[in-house]
Amino acid sequence: MANDAMPPEQERRGPAEPLPASEAPFDAIGLARQLLRSVRSGALATIDAADGTPFASLVTLATDSDGTPLMLLSRLSAHTRNLDKDPRASLLFSVGGKGDPLAHPRLTVTGHAARTDEPRVRGRFLARHPKAKLYADFPDFGFFALTPTAGHLNGGFAKAATLTPQELLLDMAGAEAIVAGERGAVEHMNADHADALALYAAGAGEPGTGWRLTGLDPEGLDLMSGERTARVPYPEPVRDMGSLRKSLVAMAAAARIGSAAEAAPEPDGQA
């Protein structure tokens, strides 16, 4: 009888598995952290408290200093009742854009959501969502933080990777001074250095005016103008306020040089 076995190269293969972020052929960690910091609203998936059905809803988002996703939720909402019974949840961060929506990067973060009364959380969330000040202190609202257990990144077609909590979030060891000095630095930059903030945003591919700083951390700046956001990484991570100042000065100087070069007229070719 003829051997009907398929040669190894023709054997049926299983579904493709995303690579760990450390093995991906693109900067999966950088892209995931960019999405975490720049997306202001996303889909929250919880487990229905009555029958366990997956329940998806739209929520506004911010991040803590280390990148932990933050939410402001009403206890009257179904998703809050679900979380009170089962804290397991996931968040979808997607920037969207023109054309096929599946061609744009998106990040799913799974984890456990818990209420938090940390004043820093309130400050960072409201800096990102100023209009939420109107209802943030209502008794039926509360802040939640999602502690990640894993991340799944789709960077567009043929770009997928899984991330650990350590890859999603920043290691804040030694950066206590940055956390403590953040609010003062944010207020100072917004009051006295609007021109520098516009330069930073333009350097990140987001030109225009009206930019304000909503937060900073050891890896970069979070800017916002109207509904637009910009994530601006430092040339190198910083761990203290002195290093932060030096980095911001150098970034502004480099941005001014780049802006001047772009504005320079083209040579006319005449001797």
Side-chain angles (χ1 to χ4, degrees):
M1 295 178 60
N3 186 354
D4 293 331
M6 297 175 63
E9 64 272 14
Q10 295 183 19
E11 291 180 359
R12 185 182 298 275
R13 297 180 179 179
E17 295 288 337
L19 291 171
S22 59
E23 300 176 18
F26 65 102
D27 184 10
I29 295 175
L31 179 55
R33 290 181 175 180
Q34 170 81 15
L35 290 168
L36 271 176
R37 300 289 189 176
S38 58
V39 175
R40 297 178 63 238
S41 65
L44 168 66
T46 57
I47 300 171
D48 189 275
D51 60 10
T53 301
F55 180 88
S57 53
L58 181 67
V59 296
T60 49
L61 300 166
T63 56
D64 203 349
S65 301
D66 64 352
T68 296
L70 306 175
M71 300 171 285
L72 176 60
L73 307 178
S74 168
R75 65 180 176 84
L76 302 178
S77 300
H79 49 229
T80 307
R81 295 195 296 271
N82 294 343
L83 291 174
D84 285 340
K85 182 175 181 180
D86 189 333
R88 289 179 297 169
S90 67
L91 283 167
L92 174 64
F93 297 76
S94 177
V95 293
K98 296 180 179 179
D100 188 341
L102 297 182
H104 300 283
R106 59 268 189 197
L107 171 71
T108 297
V109 179
T110 59
H112 297 81
R115 297 176 186 270
T116 174
D117 295 322
E118 170 60 52
R120 183 187 66 256
V121 166
R122 183 183 189 279
R124 286 185 63 90
F125 188 93
L126 295 182
R128 203 63 165 166
H129 300 279
K131 293 180 181 179
K133 293 177 183 178
L134 296 173
Y135 52 84
D137 294 323
F138 288 2
D140 59 314
F141 276 84
F143 292 98
F144 283 71
L146 182 82
T147 301
T149 54
H152 183 106
L153 174 69
N154 190 316
F157 291 122
K159 283 186 177 181
T162 57
L163 297 100
T164 65
Q166 294 74 25
E167 290 169 331
L168 286 168
L169 304 182
L170 301 184
D171 179 2
M172 299 299 290
E176 292 81 5
I178 295 294
V179 175
E182 177 191 16
R183 193 46 43 197
V186 167
E187 292 174 355
H188 170 69
M189 292 297 294
N190 286 334
D192 299 332
H193 298 288
D195 56 339
L197 295 179
L199 288 170
Y200 299 150
E206 295 290 346
T209 59
W211 291 98
R212 64 182 183 85
L213 184 60
T214 63
L216 57 84
D217 55 75
E219 279 196 343
L221 308 173
D222 296 321
L223 303 179
M224 192 166 72
S225 176
E227 299 302 314
R228 299 168 63 200
T229 64
R231 174 65 176 175
V232 183
Y234 312 130
E236 298 290 340
V238 300
R239 293 284 163 177
D240 57 73
M241 297 305 289
S243 299
L244 172 64
R245 293 187 191 95
K246 291 179 181 178
S247 185
L248 294 180
V249 169
M251 289 165 61
R256 288 189 178 96
I257 293 173
S259 179
E262 290 181 2
E266 292 289 336
D268 58 12
Q270 296 182 2

